[in-house]
Amino acid sequence: MARRWLGAASPFLVVATLLLAWDGATRFGLADPRYLSRPWVVAALIWEWTRSGYILPHVAATFVEVGLGYVCGTVAGMAVAFLFFFRPRLAELCDPLVVLLNAAPRAILAPFAVLMFGIDLASKVMLVTLVVFTITLLSLSAGLKEVDRTIVDNARVMGAGTSDLTRHVYLPAALVWVVSAMRISIGQAFTAAIVCELLGATKGLGWIVAAGQSAVKPDWIMAGLFFAAVIVVLIDVAILAPLERRGSHWRVF
Amino acid sequence: MSDTLIALRDVARRYPAQGGRPTFTAVQDITLDIAEGSFVAVVGPSGCGKSTLLNMIAGLDAPSEGRITVAREIVAGRLRDDVGYLFQKDALLPWKTVQANVELPLVFRRMPGDHGRIAREWLARVGLAGFEGNFPHQLSGGMRKRVALAATFVYGPRILLMDEPFSALDVQTRNMMENELLDLWQQNNKTVVFVTHDLEEAIALADHVVVLTANPGRVKKQFRVTLDRPRNVNDIRFDDRFRDLHAEIWEALREEVARSYALQRQLVHG
């Protein structure tokens, strides 16, 4: 009985221990609170920002950048994955490009995006789109190749043409892969948007973090990161994970 | 004697050499006539190219040599619209309900009529009334096979190709499905090519049993099964004529099974 309670409570205990360690470290001179801040200071700031609504426009700005880029990237990734699937010669031709896109640390393109598209919405949406596009393309390309041969043959014998196959077989099968790609890419999408905001922005969570850095206010950085993390976790828990669970029995192997 | 519907003439299927592997011949020198309305079983050891044969008749695959005709039209890697194919593996769409799965061939073929009603009728005929709204993963293996059977019969194909369709089922379910298949076949006058490695199943169901050799698959011998119809696959196994036939065909098959086993051992042990 006691063991079960301990099991359920242990994740919270870990967090509490870490917070205590953080507090202790700043209290007993192991870390400088001027650079690391203190848990209670950060908590107070988070509460203050939430209460006054100060954080709202910043959360909204980042959210809009990620949302737009996320939709564009997913749709473009799906379109290109299908194009490559039905035109394997084209896929072969573009393969080095895709490998490069996947292997290169995409955040490096952030300065480029800001230079080309300015410090407003466009640069962030571009970078998020690129990140989500790459993940969707790779995940879906692999997924389409795994669609069961027998199911495809069976549909063809039953009279399905290419458009029937796409609509009734490949697209539903692809959805499972698209959702799992969305789960992988949500965190990276926020990273891309925030990195872009760090480099040049007038609002957004990245701007908060950047402002905290230049004014040496570590509590601002911590609170900004807190909001970003909470949003990503909320989206995953509330939307993406249930979506993936719902589609899991579709998985065709 | 009725007319030949499916004719194979000196058919071979070779797969080109690839990555250090030599050319692989799945089947060769296959000459076979299948009469309209007959039930033909093809037996042979595993790996003798039985499935390749069905794929070529269906038009999913094309012969490297020789010629296949169905109703005097050459089949060469082009799908015909009067063929139904029941696969060994499950081939239902997991994201569609039972009802939608059975309607699908009607949609693909842009067939006229009330698809919903036609599909429901066939589901009732295979004993699945009331399961229309279920998804395939909610059904047992036997029930999924019935759905596949309904989805094949629903568009009225003239030819039914079956690739060990019941091999994954338990014995009781399997015998039930075999009896139902015989009923459906007799009511609907189909031509059936049934591939199996199970000799008892072949004799219990078919008019003709074709024995293939171990790889590469050739026609070793053909047998006529003269047991009366309608048959019950549960009872027919105890018929004396069934036992005699079984002994006779097994005589031909045994050698090939042994050869196939030796071949596989060679592959494993180099």
Side-chain angles (χ1 to χ4, degrees), chain A residues 148 151 154 157-158 164 168-169 172-173 249 252, chain B residues 83 87 89 91 93-96 108-110 137:
Chain A
D148 193 326
I151 286 188
N154 188 49
V157 170
M158 286 178 168
D164 293 323
H168 294 281
V169 181
H249 68 260
V252 190
Chain B
V83 171
F87 293 85
K89 276 168 65 184
L93 294 180
W95 44 80
K96 286 190 189 284
F108 288 159
R109 284 155 191 269
R110 277 109 191 135
H137 72 103

mmCIF file with all atom_site columns, all heavy atoms in Angstrom, chain A residues 148 151 154 157-158 164 168-169 172-173 249 252, chain B residues 83 87 89 91 93-96 108-110 137:
data_model
loop_
_atom_site.group_PDB
_atom_site.id
_atom_site.type_symbol
_atom_site.label_atom_id
_atom_site.label_alt_id
_atom_site.label_comp_id
_atom_site.label_asym_id
_atom_site.label_entity_id
_atom_site.label_seq_id
_atom_site.pdbx_PDB_ins_code
_atom_site.Cartn_x
_atom_site.Cartn_y
_atom_site.Cartn_z
_atom_site.occupancy
_atom_site.B_iso_or_equiv
_atom_site.pdbx_formal_charge
_atom_site.auth_seq_id
_atom_site.auth_comp_id
_atom_site.auth_asym_id
_atom_site.auth_atom_id
_atom_site.pdbx_PDB_model_num
ATOM 1   N N   . ASP A 1 148 ? 0.975   -2.097  -46.037 1.00 0.00 ? 148 ASP A N   1
ATOM 2   C CA  . ASP A 1 148 ? 0.966   -3.520  -46.339 1.00 0.00 ? 148 ASP A CA  1
ATOM 3   C C   . ASP A 1 148 ? 0.698   -3.782  -47.821 1.00 0.00 ? 148 ASP A C   1
ATOM 4   O O   . ASP A 1 148 ? -0.288  -3.340  -48.375 1.00 0.00 ? 148 ASP A O   1
ATOM 5   C CB  . ASP A 1 148 ? -0.128  -4.175  -45.485 1.00 0.00 ? 148 ASP A CB  1
ATOM 6   C CG  . ASP A 1 148 ? 0.012   -5.681  -45.491 1.00 0.00 ? 148 ASP A CG  1
ATOM 7   O OD1 . ASP A 1 148 ? 0.428   -6.241  -46.526 1.00 0.00 ? 148 ASP A OD1 1
ATOM 8   O OD2 . ASP A 1 148 ? -0.281  -6.295  -44.466 1.00 0.00 ? 148 ASP A OD2 1
ATOM 9   N N   . ILE A 1 151 ? -2.704  -5.385  -48.630 1.00 0.00 ? 151 ILE A N   1
ATOM 10  C CA  . ILE A 1 151 ? -3.852  -4.481  -48.627 1.00 0.00 ? 151 ILE A CA  1
ATOM 11  C C   . ILE A 1 151 ? -3.934  -3.725  -49.950 1.00 0.00 ? 151 ILE A C   1
ATOM 12  O O   . ILE A 1 151 ? -5.008  -3.567  -50.528 1.00 0.00 ? 151 ILE A O   1
ATOM 13  C CB  . ILE A 1 151 ? -3.741  -3.505  -47.431 1.00 0.00 ? 151 ILE A CB  1
ATOM 14  C CG1 . ILE A 1 151 ? -4.062  -4.263  -46.145 1.00 0.00 ? 151 ILE A CG1 1
ATOM 15  C CG2 . ILE A 1 151 ? -4.665  -2.313  -47.608 1.00 0.00 ? 151 ILE A CG2 1
ATOM 16  C CD1 . ILE A 1 151 ? -4.184  -3.389  -44.933 1.00 0.00 ? 151 ILE A CD1 1
ATOM 17  N N   . ASN A 1 154 ? -4.923  -6.188  -52.715 1.00 0.00 ? 154 ASN A N   1
ATOM 18  C CA  . ASN A 1 154 ? -6.340  -6.516  -52.557 1.00 0.00 ? 154 ASN A CA  1
ATOM 19  C C   . ASN A 1 154 ? -7.223  -5.396  -53.100 1.00 0.00 ? 154 ASN A C   1
ATOM 20  O O   . ASN A 1 154 ? -8.170  -5.655  -53.856 1.00 0.00 ? 154 ASN A O   1
ATOM 21  C CB  . ASN A 1 154 ? -6.635  -6.759  -51.075 1.00 0.00 ? 154 ASN A CB  1
ATOM 22  C CG  . ASN A 1 154 ? -8.033  -7.283  -50.853 1.00 0.00 ? 154 ASN A CG  1
ATOM 23  O OD1 . ASN A 1 154 ? -8.442  -8.221  -51.526 1.00 0.00 ? 154 ASN A OD1 1
ATOM 24  N ND2 . ASN A 1 154 ? -8.770  -6.690  -49.944 1.00 0.00 ? 154 ASN A ND2 1
ATOM 25  N N   . VAL A 1 157 ? -7.081  -5.431  -56.912 1.00 0.00 ? 157 VAL A N   1
ATOM 26  C CA  . VAL A 1 157 ? -7.903  -6.495  -57.500 1.00 0.00 ? 157 VAL A CA  1
ATOM 27  C C   . VAL A 1 157 ? -9.377  -6.106  -57.433 1.00 0.00 ? 157 VAL A C   1
ATOM 28  O O   . VAL A 1 157 ? -10.158 -6.391  -58.346 1.00 0.00 ? 157 VAL A O   1
ATOM 29  C CB  . VAL A 1 157 ? -7.670  -7.835  -56.767 1.00 0.00 ? 157 VAL A CB  1
ATOM 30  C CG1 . VAL A 1 157 ? -8.686  -8.870  -57.212 1.00 0.00 ? 157 VAL A CG1 1
ATOM 31  C CG2 . VAL A 1 157 ? -6.262  -8.339  -57.019 1.00 0.00 ? 157 VAL A CG2 1
ATOM 32  N N   . MET A 1 158 ? -9.758  -5.421  -56.360 1.00 0.00 ? 158 MET A N   1
ATOM 33  C CA  . MET A 1 158 ? -11.156 -5.013  -56.218 1.00 0.00 ? 158 MET A CA  1
ATOM 34  C C   . MET A 1 158 ? -11.511 -3.841  -57.118 1.00 0.00 ? 158 MET A C   1
ATOM 35  O O   . MET A 1 158 ? -12.653 -3.389  -57.117 1.00 0.00 ? 158 MET A O   1
ATOM 36  C CB  . MET A 1 158 ? -11.436 -4.637  -54.768 1.00 0.00 ? 158 MET A CB  1
ATOM 37  C CG  . MET A 1 158 ? -11.516 -5.847  -53.880 1.00 0.00 ? 158 MET A CG  1
ATOM 38  S SD  . MET A 1 158 ? -11.779 -5.356  -52.186 1.00 0.00 ? 158 MET A SD  1
ATOM 39  C CE  . MET A 1 158 ? -12.200 -6.948  -51.485 1.00 0.00 ? 158 MET A CE  1
ATOM 40  N N   . ASP A 1 164 ? -8.214  6.188   -56.220 1.00 0.00 ? 164 ASP A N   1
ATOM 41  C CA  . ASP A 1 164 ? -8.925  5.410   -55.189 1.00 0.00 ? 164 ASP A CA  1
ATOM 42  C C   . ASP A 1 164 ? -7.949  4.953   -54.113 1.00 0.00 ? 164 ASP A C   1
ATOM 43  O O   . ASP A 1 164 ? -8.239  5.022   -52.922 1.00 0.00 ? 164 ASP A O   1
ATOM 44  C CB  . ASP A 1 164 ? -9.578  4.165   -55.789 1.00 0.00 ? 164 ASP A CB  1
ATOM 45  C CG  . ASP A 1 164 ? -10.710 4.508   -56.743 1.00 0.00 ? 164 ASP A CG  1
ATOM 46  O OD1 . ASP A 1 164 ? -11.432 5.468   -56.454 1.00 0.00 ? 164 ASP A OD1 1
ATOM 47  O OD2 . ASP A 1 164 ? -10.855 3.817   -57.758 1.00 0.00 ? 164 ASP A OD2 1
ATOM 48  N N   . HIS A 1 168 ? -8.451  6.027   -50.313 1.00 0.00 ? 168 HIS A N   1
ATOM 49  C CA  . HIS A 1 168 ? -8.981  5.047   -49.375 1.00 0.00 ? 168 HIS A CA  1
ATOM 50  C C   . HIS A 1 168 ? -7.905  4.227   -48.662 1.00 0.00 ? 168 HIS A C   1
ATOM 51  O O   . HIS A 1 168 ? -8.161  3.645   -47.632 1.00 0.00 ? 168 HIS A O   1
ATOM 52  C CB  . HIS A 1 168 ? -9.928  4.087   -50.088 1.00 0.00 ? 168 HIS A CB  1
ATOM 53  C CG  . HIS A 1 168 ? -11.170 4.744   -50.601 1.00 0.00 ? 168 HIS A CG  1
ATOM 54  N ND1 . HIS A 1 168 ? -12.236 5.040   -49.791 1.00 0.00 ? 168 HIS A ND1 1
ATOM 55  C CD2 . HIS A 1 168 ? -11.497 5.194   -51.836 1.00 0.00 ? 168 HIS A CD2 1
ATOM 56  C CE1 . HIS A 1 168 ? -13.180 5.631   -50.512 1.00 0.00 ? 168 HIS A CE1 1
ATOM 57  N NE2 . HIS A 1 168 ? -12.752 5.736   -51.751 1.00 0.00 ? 168 HIS A NE2 1
ATOM 58  N N   . VAL A 1 169 ? -6.718  4.147   -49.257 1.00 0.00 ? 169 VAL A N   1
ATOM 59  C CA  . VAL A 1 169 ? -5.677  3.313   -48.643 1.00 0.00 ? 169 VAL A CA  1
ATOM 60  C C   . VAL A 1 169 ? -4.512  4.164   -48.121 1.00 0.00 ? 169 VAL A C   1
ATOM 61  O O   . VAL A 1 169 ? -4.236  4.177   -46.924 1.00 0.00 ? 169 VAL A O   1
ATOM 62  C CB  . VAL A 1 169 ? -5.147  2.250   -49.634 1.00 0.00 ? 169 VAL A CB  1
ATOM 63  C CG1 . VAL A 1 169 ? -4.088  1.383   -48.963 1.00 0.00 ? 169 VAL A CG1 1
ATOM 64  C CG2 . VAL A 1 169 ? -6.294  1.386   -50.139 1.00 0.00 ? 169 VAL A CG2 1
ATOM 65  N N   . PRO A 1 172 ? -5.471  7.406   -45.464 1.00 0.00 ? 172 PRO A N   1
ATOM 66  C CA  . PRO A 1 172 ? -5.775  7.004   -44.080 1.00 0.00 ? 172 PRO A CA  1
ATOM 67  C C   . PRO A 1 172 ? -4.574  6.351   -43.402 1.00 0.00 ? 172 PRO A C   1
ATOM 68  O O   . PRO A 1 172 ? -4.320  6.600   -42.223 1.00 0.00 ? 172 PRO A O   1
ATOM 69  C CB  . PRO A 1 172 ? -6.908  5.988   -44.238 1.00 0.00 ? 172 PRO A CB  1
ATOM 70  C CG  . PRO A 1 172 ? -7.447  6.177   -45.603 1.00 0.00 ? 172 PRO A CG  1
ATOM 71  C CD  . PRO A 1 172 ? -6.375  6.781   -46.441 1.00 0.00 ? 172 PRO A CD  1
ATOM 72  N N   . ALA A 1 173 ? -3.824  5.525   -44.146 1.00 0.00 ? 173 ALA A N   1
ATOM 73  C CA  . ALA A 1 173 ? -2.641  4.896   -43.551 1.00 0.00 ? 173 ALA A CA  1
ATOM 74  C C   . ALA A 1 173 ? -1.629  5.968   -43.177 1.00 0.00 ? 173 ALA A C   1
ATOM 75  O O   . ALA A 1 173 ? -0.973  5.894   -42.136 1.00 0.00 ? 173 ALA A O   1
ATOM 76  C CB  . ALA A 1 173 ? -2.025  3.899   -44.534 1.00 0.00 ? 173 ALA A CB  1
ATOM 77  N N   . HIS A 1 249 ? -4.956  1.681   -33.633 1.00 0.00 ? 249 HIS A N   1
ATOM 78  C CA  . HIS A 1 249 ? -5.407  0.387   -34.151 1.00 0.00 ? 249 HIS A CA  1
ATOM 79  C C   . HIS A 1 249 ? -5.461  0.361   -35.677 1.00 0.00 ? 249 HIS A C   1
ATOM 80  O O   . HIS A 1 249 ? -5.723  -0.649  -36.286 1.00 0.00 ? 249 HIS A O   1
ATOM 81  C CB  . HIS A 1 249 ? -6.762  -0.002  -33.550 1.00 0.00 ? 249 HIS A CB  1
ATOM 82  C CG  . HIS A 1 249 ? -7.884  0.862   -33.988 1.00 0.00 ? 249 HIS A CG  1
ATOM 83  N ND1 . HIS A 1 249 ? -8.370  1.877   -33.201 1.00 0.00 ? 249 HIS A ND1 1
ATOM 84  C CD2 . HIS A 1 249 ? -8.613  0.880   -35.130 1.00 0.00 ? 249 HIS A CD2 1
ATOM 85  C CE1 . HIS A 1 249 ? -9.361  2.486   -33.849 1.00 0.00 ? 249 HIS A CE1 1
ATOM 86  N NE2 . HIS A 1 249 ? -9.523  1.911   -35.012 1.00 0.00 ? 249 HIS A NE2 1
ATOM 87  N N   . VAL A 1 252 ? -0.866  -0.316  -39.842 1.00 0.00 ? 252 VAL A N   1
ATOM 88  C CA  . VAL A 1 252 ? -0.905  -1.419  -40.786 1.00 0.00 ? 252 VAL A CA  1
ATOM 89  C C   . VAL A 1 252 ? 0.487   -2.001  -40.929 1.00 0.00 ? 252 VAL A C   1
ATOM 90  O O   . VAL A 1 252 ? 1.362   -1.374  -41.490 1.00 0.00 ? 252 VAL A O   1
ATOM 91  C CB  . VAL A 1 252 ? -1.351  -0.912  -42.168 1.00 0.00 ? 252 VAL A CB  1
ATOM 92  C CG1 . VAL A 1 252 ? -1.628  -2.073  -43.065 1.00 0.00 ? 252 VAL A CG1 1
ATOM 93  C CG2 . VAL A 1 252 ? -2.560  -0.039  -42.018 1.00 0.00 ? 252 VAL A CG2 1
ATOM 94  N N   . VAL B 2 83  ? -12.143 -10.898 -61.629 1.00 0.00 ? 83  VAL B N   1
ATOM 95  C CA  . VAL B 2 83  ? -11.384 -11.782 -60.741 1.00 0.00 ? 83  VAL B CA  1
ATOM 96  C C   . VAL B 2 83  ? -11.505 -11.314 -59.293 1.00 0.00 ? 83  VAL B C   1
ATOM 97  O O   . VAL B 2 83  ? -11.429 -10.126 -59.018 1.00 0.00 ? 83  VAL B O   1
ATOM 98  C CB  . VAL B 2 83  ? -9.892  -11.804 -61.157 1.00 0.00 ? 83  VAL B CB  1
ATOM 99  C CG1 . VAL B 2 83  ? -9.052  -12.522 -60.125 1.00 0.00 ? 83  VAL B CG1 1
ATOM 100 C CG2 . VAL B 2 83  ? -9.737  -12.460 -62.516 1.00 0.00 ? 83  VAL B CG2 1
ATOM 101 N N   . PHE B 2 87  ? -6.713  -13.392 -50.006 1.00 0.00 ? 87  PHE B N   1
ATOM 102 C CA  . PHE B 2 87  ? -5.311  -13.566 -49.624 1.00 0.00 ? 87  PHE B CA  1
ATOM 103 C C   . PHE B 2 87  ? -5.179  -14.338 -48.314 1.00 0.00 ? 87  PHE B C   1
ATOM 104 O O   . PHE B 2 87  ? -6.116  -14.408 -47.521 1.00 0.00 ? 87  PHE B O   1
ATOM 105 C CB  . PHE B 2 87  ? -4.638  -12.206 -49.471 1.00 0.00 ? 87  PHE B CB  1
ATOM 106 C CG  . PHE B 2 87  ? -4.502  -11.453 -50.763 1.00 0.00 ? 87  PHE B CG  1
ATOM 107 C CD1 . PHE B 2 87  ? -5.535  -10.670 -51.236 1.00 0.00 ? 87  PHE B CD1 1
ATOM 108 C CD2 . PHE B 2 87  ? -3.344  -11.548 -51.510 1.00 0.00 ? 87  PHE B CD2 1
ATOM 109 C CE1 . PHE B 2 87  ? -5.416  -9.979  -52.434 1.00 0.00 ? 87  PHE B CE1 1
ATOM 110 C CE2 . PHE B 2 87  ? -3.211  -10.864 -52.707 1.00 0.00 ? 87  PHE B CE2 1
ATOM 111 C CZ  . PHE B 2 87  ? -4.249  -10.081 -53.169 1.00 0.00 ? 87  PHE B CZ  1
ATOM 112 N N   . LYS B 2 89  ? -3.105  -13.457 -45.920 1.00 0.00 ? 89  LYS B N   1
ATOM 113 C CA  . LYS B 2 89  ? -3.079  -12.441 -44.858 1.00 0.00 ? 89  LYS B CA  1
ATOM 114 C C   . LYS B 2 89  ? -4.360  -11.623 -44.885 1.00 0.00 ? 89  LYS B C   1
ATOM 115 O O   . LYS B 2 89  ? -5.033  -11.564 -45.896 1.00 0.00 ? 89  LYS B O   1
ATOM 116 C CB  . LYS B 2 89  ? -1.877  -11.508 -45.069 1.00 0.00 ? 89  LYS B CB  1
ATOM 117 C CG  . LYS B 2 89  ? -0.593  -12.059 -44.488 1.00 0.00 ? 89  LYS B CG  1
ATOM 118 C CD  . LYS B 2 89  ? 0.597   -11.275 -44.971 1.00 0.00 ? 89  LYS B CD  1
ATOM 119 C CE  . LYS B 2 89  ? 0.614   -9.840  -44.500 1.00 0.00 ? 89  LYS B CE  1
ATOM 120 N NZ  . LYS B 2 89  ? 1.746   -9.099  -45.070 1.00 0.00 ? 89  LYS B NZ  1
ATOM 121 N N   . ALA B 2 91  ? -6.535  -8.588  -45.468 1.00 0.00 ? 91  ALA B N   1
ATOM 122 C CA  . ALA B 2 91  ? -6.356  -7.482  -46.404 1.00 0.00 ? 91  ALA B CA  1
ATOM 123 C C   . ALA B 2 91  ? -7.474  -6.454  -46.273 1.00 0.00 ? 91  ALA B C   1
ATOM 124 O O   . ALA B 2 91  ? -7.637  -5.605  -47.129 1.00 0.00 ? 91  ALA B O   1
ATOM 125 C CB  . ALA B 2 91  ? -6.280  -8.012  -47.834 1.00 0.00 ? 91  ALA B CB  1
ATOM 126 N N   . LEU B 2 93  ? -9.358  -3.123  -44.866 1.00 0.00 ? 93  LEU B N   1
ATOM 127 C CA  . LEU B 2 93  ? -8.847  -1.819  -44.452 1.00 0.00 ? 93  LEU B CA  1
ATOM 128 C C   . LEU B 2 93  ? -9.195  -1.607  -42.983 1.00 0.00 ? 93  LEU B C   1
ATOM 129 O O   . LEU B 2 93  ? -10.369 -1.553  -42.626 1.00 0.00 ? 93  LEU B O   1
ATOM 130 C CB  . LEU B 2 93  ? -9.464  -0.709  -45.310 1.00 0.00 ? 93  LEU B CB  1
ATOM 131 C CG  . LEU B 2 93  ? -9.051  -0.754  -46.779 1.00 0.00 ? 93  LEU B CG  1
ATOM 132 C CD1 . LEU B 2 93  ? -9.701  0.374   -47.560 1.00 0.00 ? 93  LEU B CD1 1
ATOM 133 C CD2 . LEU B 2 93  ? -7.544  -0.693  -46.924 1.00 0.00 ? 93  LEU B CD2 1
ATOM 134 N N   . PRO B 2 94  ? -8.173  -1.486  -42.131 1.00 0.00 ? 94  PRO B N   1
ATOM 135 C CA  . PRO B 2 94  ? -8.420  -1.431  -40.686 1.00 0.00 ? 94  PRO B CA  1
ATOM 136 C C   . PRO B 2 94  ? -9.152  -0.161  -40.254 1.00 0.00 ? 94  PRO B C   1
ATOM 137 O O   . PRO B 2 94  ? -9.725  -0.131  -39.174 1.00 0.00 ? 94  PRO B O   1
ATOM 138 C CB  . PRO B 2 94  ? -7.027  -1.494  -40.077 1.00 0.00 ? 94  PRO B CB  1
ATOM 139 C CG  . PRO B 2 94  ? -6.066  -1.282  -41.159 1.00 0.00 ? 94  PRO B CG  1
ATOM 140 C CD  . PRO B 2 94  ? -6.751  -1.471  -42.465 1.00 0.00 ? 94  PRO B CD  1
ATOM 141 N N   . TRP B 2 95  ? -9.128  0.888   -41.093 1.00 0.00 ? 95  TRP B N   1
ATOM 142 C CA  . TRP B 2 95  ? -9.767  2.150   -40.687 1.00 0.00 ? 95  TRP B CA  1
ATOM 143 C C   . TRP B 2 95  ? -11.187 2.256   -41.211 1.00 0.00 ? 95  TRP B C   1
ATOM 144 O O   . TRP B 2 95  ? -11.798 3.294   -41.103 1.00 0.00 ? 95  TRP B O   1
ATOM 145 C CB  . TRP B 2 95  ? -8.936  3.329   -41.149 1.00 0.00 ? 95  TRP B CB  1
ATOM 146 C CG  . TRP B 2 95  ? -8.452  3.194   -42.552 1.00 0.00 ? 95  TRP B CG  1
ATOM 147 C CD1 . TRP B 2 95  ? -9.157  3.444   -43.692 1.00 0.00 ? 95  TRP B CD1 1
ATOM 148 C CD2 . TRP B 2 95  ? -7.171  2.740   -42.954 1.00 0.00 ? 95  TRP B CD2 1
ATOM 149 N NE1 . TRP B 2 95  ? -8.386  3.174   -44.776 1.00 0.00 ? 95  TRP B NE1 1
ATOM 150 C CE2 . TRP B 2 95  ? -7.156  2.751   -44.362 1.00 0.00 ? 95  TRP B CE2 1
ATOM 151 C CE3 . TRP B 2 95  ? -6.022  2.329   -42.259 1.00 0.00 ? 95  TRP B CE3 1
ATOM 152 C CZ2 . TRP B 2 95  ? -6.037  2.358   -45.088 1.00 0.00 ? 95  TRP B CZ2 1
ATOM 153 C CZ3 . TRP B 2 95  ? -4.933  1.944   -42.994 1.00 0.00 ? 95  TRP B CZ3 1
ATOM 154 C CH2 . TRP B 2 95  ? -4.941  1.958   -44.393 1.00 0.00 ? 95  TRP B CH2 1
ATOM 155 N N   . LYS B 2 96  ? -11.694 1.196   -41.822 1.00 0.00 ? 96  LYS B N   1
ATOM 156 C CA  . LYS B 2 96  ? -13.079 1.239   -42.282 1.00 0.00 ? 96  LYS B CA  1
ATOM 157 C C   . LYS B 2 96  ? -13.891 0.177   -41.561 1.00 0.00 ? 96  LYS B C   1
ATOM 158 O O   . LYS B 2 96  ? -13.375 -0.876  -41.200 1.00 0.00 ? 96  LYS B O   1
ATOM 159 C CB  . LYS B 2 96  ? -13.135 1.010   -43.787 1.00 0.00 ? 96  LYS B CB  1
ATOM 160 C CG  . LYS B 2 96  ? -12.673 2.218   -44.583 1.00 0.00 ? 96  LYS B CG  1
ATOM 161 C CD  . LYS B 2 96  ? -12.967 2.053   -46.055 1.00 0.00 ? 96  LYS B CD  1
ATOM 162 C CE  . LYS B 2 96  ? -12.333 3.147   -46.887 1.00 0.00 ? 96  LYS B CE  1
ATOM 163 N NZ  . LYS B 2 96  ? -13.038 4.433   -46.813 1.00 0.00 ? 96  LYS B NZ  1
ATOM 164 N N   . PHE B 2 108 ? -15.202 1.308   -55.859 1.00 0.00 ? 108 PHE B N   1
ATOM 165 C CA  . PHE B 2 108 ? -14.082 1.296   -56.799 1.00 0.00 ? 108 PHE B CA  1
ATOM 166 C C   . PHE B 2 108 ? -14.562 1.053   -58.227 1.00 0.00 ? 108 PHE B C   1
ATOM 167 O O   . PHE B 2 108 ? -14.048 1.608   -59.179 1.00 0.00 ? 108 PHE B O   1
ATOM 168 C CB  . PHE B 2 108 ? -13.086 0.189   -56.432 1.00 0.00 ? 108 PHE B CB  1
ATOM 169 C CG  . PHE B 2 108 ? -12.281 0.468   -55.197 1.00 0.00 ? 108 PHE B CG  1
ATOM 170 C CD1 . PHE B 2 108 ? -11.679 -0.579  -54.503 1.00 0.00 ? 108 PHE B CD1 1
ATOM 171 C CD2 . PHE B 2 108 ? -12.100 1.758   -54.734 1.00 0.00 ? 108 PHE B CD2 1
ATOM 172 C CE1 . PHE B 2 108 ? -10.924 -0.335  -53.369 1.00 0.00 ? 108 PHE B CE1 1
ATOM 173 C CE2 . PHE B 2 108 ? -11.346 2.009   -53.601 1.00 0.00 ? 108 PHE B CE2 1
ATOM 174 C CZ  . PHE B 2 108 ? -10.758 0.954   -52.915 1.00 0.00 ? 108 PHE B CZ  1
ATOM 175 N N   . ARG B 2 109 ? -15.532 0.165   -58.365 1.00 0.00 ? 109 ARG B N   1
ATOM 176 C CA  . ARG B 2 109 ? -16.001 -0.207  -59.704 1.00 0.00 ? 109 ARG B CA  1
ATOM 177 C C   . ARG B 2 109 ? -17.122 0.681   -60.194 1.00 0.00 ? 109 ARG B C   1
ATOM 178 O O   . ARG B 2 109 ? -17.669 0.442   -61.269 1.00 0.00 ? 109 ARG B O   1
ATOM 179 C CB  . ARG B 2 109 ? -16.481 -1.666  -59.673 1.00 0.00 ? 109 ARG B CB  1
ATOM 180 C CG  . ARG B 2 109 ? -15.327 -2.627  -59.652 1.00 0.00 ? 109 ARG B CG  1
ATOM 181 C CD  . ARG B 2 109 ? -15.699 -3.940  -59.032 1.00 0.00 ? 109 ARG B CD  1
ATOM 182 N NE  . ARG B 2 109 ? -14.492 -4.699  -58.807 1.00 0.00 ? 109 ARG B NE  1
ATOM 183 C CZ  . ARG B 2 109 ? -13.984 -5.554  -59.690 1.00 0.00 ? 109 ARG B CZ  1
ATOM 184 N NH1 . ARG B 2 109 ? -14.612 -5.790  -60.807 1.00 0.00 ? 109 ARG B NH1 1
ATOM 185 N NH2 . ARG B 2 109 ? -12.857 -6.177  -59.436 1.00 0.00 ? 109 ARG B NH2 1
ATOM 186 N N   . ARG B 2 110 ? -17.479 1.682   -59.390 1.00 0.00 ? 110 ARG B N   1
ATOM 187 C CA  . ARG B 2 110 ? -18.583 2.577   -59.753 1.00 0.00 ? 110 ARG B CA  1
ATOM 188 C C   . ARG B 2 110 ? -19.806 1.794   -60.195 1.00 0.00 ? 110 ARG B C   1
ATOM 189 O O   . ARG B 2 110 ? -20.400 2.042   -61.232 1.00 0.00 ? 110 ARG B O   1
ATOM 190 C CB  . ARG B 2 110 ? -18.141 3.529   -60.877 1.00 0.00 ? 110 ARG B CB  1
ATOM 191 C CG  . ARG B 2 110 ? -17.376 4.739   -60.382 1.00 0.00 ? 110 ARG B CG  1
ATOM 192 C CD  . ARG B 2 110 ? -15.925 4.698   -60.728 1.00 0.00 ? 110 ARG B CD  1
ATOM 193 N NE  . ARG B 2 110 ? -15.137 5.722   -60.038 1.00 0.00 ? 110 ARG B NE  1
ATOM 194 C CZ  . ARG B 2 110 ? -13.965 5.471   -59.449 1.00 0.00 ? 110 ARG B CZ  1
ATOM 195 N NH1 . ARG B 2 110 ? -13.455 4.264   -59.419 1.00 0.00 ? 110 ARG B NH1 1
ATOM 196 N NH2 . ARG B 2 110 ? -13.297 6.414   -58.854 1.00 0.00 ? 110 ARG B NH2 1
ATOM 197 N N   . HIS B 2 137 ? -10.510 -4.947  -36.430 1.00 0.00 ? 137 HIS B N   1
ATOM 198 C CA  . HIS B 2 137 ? -9.727  -5.390  -35.270 1.00 0.00 ? 137 HIS B CA  1
ATOM 199 C C   . HIS B 2 137 ? -10.599 -5.830  -34.110 1.00 0.00 ? 137 HIS B C   1
ATOM 200 O O   . HIS B 2 137 ? -10.103 -6.398  -33.140 1.00 0.00 ? 137 HIS B O   1
ATOM 201 C CB  . HIS B 2 137 ? -8.757  -4.289  -34.825 1.00 0.00 ? 137 HIS B CB  1
ATOM 202 C CG  . HIS B 2 137 ? -9.426  -3.120  -34.162 1.00 0.00 ? 137 HIS B CG  1
ATOM 203 N ND1 . HIS B 2 137 ? -9.415  -2.943  -32.798 1.00 0.00 ? 137 HIS B ND1 1
ATOM 204 C CD2 . HIS B 2 137 ? -10.150 -2.108  -34.655 1.00 0.00 ? 137 HIS B CD2 1
ATOM 205 C CE1 . HIS B 2 137 ? -10.097 -1.849  -32.500 1.00 0.00 ? 137 HIS B CE1 1
ATOM 206 N NE2 . HIS B 2 137 ? -10.553 -1.328  -33.611 1.00 0.00 ? 137 HIS B NE2 1
#
